[in-house]
Amino acid sequence: MPGLYKECERMLTPAHTGLTERISTTRSSTGIVLDEAVVEARGRMRDTLSSWCALVAEGRGIPAPAERDVAALAAFLTARLDWLAAHPAAGEFAAEIAELAGDATEALDPRRGRARGLGPCPRPGCTAVVALRPDTGGRVGCGSGHVWQPHEWLSLSSRLARQEYVA
């Protein structure tokens, strides 16, 4: 769990490559990326582990971890895994942990990504938005069905930046 939680955190933090993207004449700012599936997976990990820690703490008569740090929560549960395994809710615990791991892994899958709008379609009369679709292998196209092949992407980028229309 802590490893998946950290990987989700990494997905929400922009990579700093040292390069800055130029759009028109201004630099684009890179902030936190709010991928709902990743944010939800992280929240569910923390909440679920906290809930199980509370059950263990109450059942063992010991204090639960004071902080809601996923690594600390997981360590607390791991140290008391024998007690949890003997508890009547052990099957539910195992199922929830497996579901959390599956959801986080799915949220981290780059093929699951949402379409990223690039700008208005440059084809005459088309009002659709051109988008990059990670879930289709990185296809670039608009909602009306216009598609650009990889060898056309640089030219498309220039047209989108200038809002130039092509035949």
Side-chain angles (χ1 to χ4, degrees):
M1 238 1 85
L4 283 172
Y5 190 81
K6 279 289 205 195
E7 186 61 19
C8 286
E9 179 179 352
R10 190 188 68 72
M11 290 296 291
L12 295 172
T13 306
H16 296 288
T17 62
L19 300 174
T20 19
E21 179 182 348
R22 301 268 290 160
I23 298 176
S24 180
T25 58
T26 61
R27 291 183 189 261
S28 67
S29 63
T30 308
I32 192 166
V33 178
L34 288 180
D35 183 318
E36 288 181 37
V38 174
V39 171
E40 183 178 332
R42 280 175 50 93
R44 285 189 53 230
M45 277 187 238
R46 191 180 50 254
D47 294 346
T48 302
L49 293 178
S50 291
S51 176
W52 284 104
C53 284
L55 174 84
V56 170
E58 183 180 318
R60 300 286 309 268
I62 58 175
E67 57 185 274
R68 288 177 32 111
D69 174 69
V70 167
L73 296 170
F76 178 86
L77 292 171
T78 300
R80 290 145 186 94
L81 206 49
D82 289 343
W83 185 87
L84 259 171
H87 192 276
E92 185 181 339
F93 171 74
E96 283 189 27
I97 296 302
E99 183 180 344
L100 286 173
D103 289 350
T105 301
E106 184 178 322
L108 292 169
D109 186 347
R111 293 171 294 176
R112 170 205 64 81
R114 282 182 275 165
R116 184 174 304 249
L118 302 174
C121 182
R123 298 289 167 107
C126 186
T127 59
V129 172
V130 175
L132 168 65
R133 300 281 317 243
D135 59 334
T136 60
R139 182 181 73 89
V140 173
C142 77
S144 296
H146 301 121
V147 177
W148 286 265
Q149 300 303 317
H151 69 277
E152 301 172 299
W153 291 352
L154 187 57
S155 174
L156 173 64
S157 174
S158 296
R159 287 185 202 121
L160 289 171
R162 292 190 310 263
Q163 297 295 305
E164 175 184 302
Y165 288 95
V166 296

